[in-house]
Amino acid sequence: MSLKPNKINPDALAWLENFSEELDADPDIIDAMPIENVREELRKMGADVGGFHAKMKKTLEKQVSLSDRLITWISELWEPLWAGQLVTADDIPKQEHSFATEAEGEIKIICDWESQDDDTPAHIHLSWEADFPADTTLWVRFVNPETQEIRYQACLGTDLLGDEIFKSDELGFDPSQEKWAISLMLTEKE
């Protein structure tokens, strides 16, 4: 049994929450409990620890820190029609939006999303066509339009054309059931 974001083993979740509270209270506890013991405890409860580590590595590779980068432009929010509302996949056409940057040019994105089915998690498919300087990196942010909370951000890179699929387990929310909007960002290339 592997842990899925929508089907978390309650015992494993309770153990992780308790462990997090212990870490908050005493950060030195991690030295007393080697990581292999943590993994073993989670395996006993049915967690797919190896799969979790692989997904975490992939997510961390995308989540490059912005703290060392100069942000040169941030777009306004764009909330696609029906984003996060319960409608059938046939009702959601691909949607297109163009963001005009102040000096760099235009970035056109096309997105669609689907709810979870038997084998595929809920996801957002995003493609882009951009015109920005070669020394610039493109980022996407998925934002809760009601609270302005950044739910997920990822580096799309320096390619002027591309597409990416963001699955719900990576996003941390179900794009077919929870409201979301998109904001783009340009940073200076490292």
Side-chain angles (χ1 to χ4, degrees):
M1 171 184 177
S2 67
L3 293 179
K4 303 276 186 204
N6 297 336
K7 299 176 185 174
I8 295 177
N9 178 314
D11 293 334
L13 182 61
W15 187 90
L16 282 171
E17 287 174 352
N18 184 47
F19 184 64
S20 293
E21 288 171 7
E22 289 176 14
L23 274 176
D24 288 340
D26 181 12
D28 294 331
I29 194 172
I30 198 72
D31 294 331
M33 180 182 270
I35 194 66
E36 196 50 50
N37 293 359
V38 173
R39 290 181 182 133
E40 187 56 35
E41 287 292 323
L42 290 170
R43 282 188 194 106
K44 286 179 188 174
M45 289 181 254
D48 177 10
V49 176
F52 171 77
H53 283 281
K55 287 179 185 175
M56 183 61 73
K57 181 179 181 217
K58 182 179 176 189
T59 299
L60 289 174
E61 286 170 353
K62 286 186 174 183
Q63 295 287 342
V64 178
S65 172
L66 286 172
S67 62
D68 297 331
R69 296 173 186 253
L70 177 63
I71 297 172
T72 59
W73 174 79
I74 298 176
S75 75
E76 75 281 359
L77 281 182
W78 171 56
E79 187 175 350
L81 189 60
W82 305 303
Q85 297 178 29
L86 290 173
V87 290
T88 64
D90 294 337
D91 293 336
I92 304 173
K94 287 185 178 184
Q95 296 186 43
E96 184 176 310
H97 186 77
S98 291
F99 295 90
T101 66
E102 293 161 1
E104 285 81 8
E106 185 175 83
I107 303 169
K108 180 173 79 172
I109 62 169
I110 299 171
C111 76
D112 62 295
W113 60 96
E114 293 183 23
S115 58
Q116 180 175 342
D117 65 18
D118 294 334
D119 298 326
T120 308
H123 63 275
I124 298 171
H125 177 230
L126 181 73
S127 59
W128 65 94
E129 183 178 328
D131 178 23
F132 55 79
D135 62 346
T136 306
T137 302
L138 178 63
W139 295 72
V140 64
R141 287 180 166 176
F142 295 99
V143 179
N144 180 328
E146 295 170 350
T147 65
Q148 305 299 304
E149 171 194 6
I150 298 169
R151 293 182 156 178
Y152 182 79
Q153 71 182 14
C155 179
L156 299 176
T158 58
D159 294 336
L160 298 179
L161 293 170
D163 72 294
E164 186 86 33
I165 294 177
F166 299 97
K167 297 179 183 174
S168 57
D169 57 350
E170 177 182 13
L171 293 167
F173 68 96
D174 183 338
S176 67
Q177 296 184 20
E178 299 174 57
K179 289 186 118 185
W180 53 274
I182 293 175
S183 175
L184 299 179
M185 200 168 41
L186 293 175
T187 63
E188 283 188 346
K189 188 174 170 183
E190 238 180 44

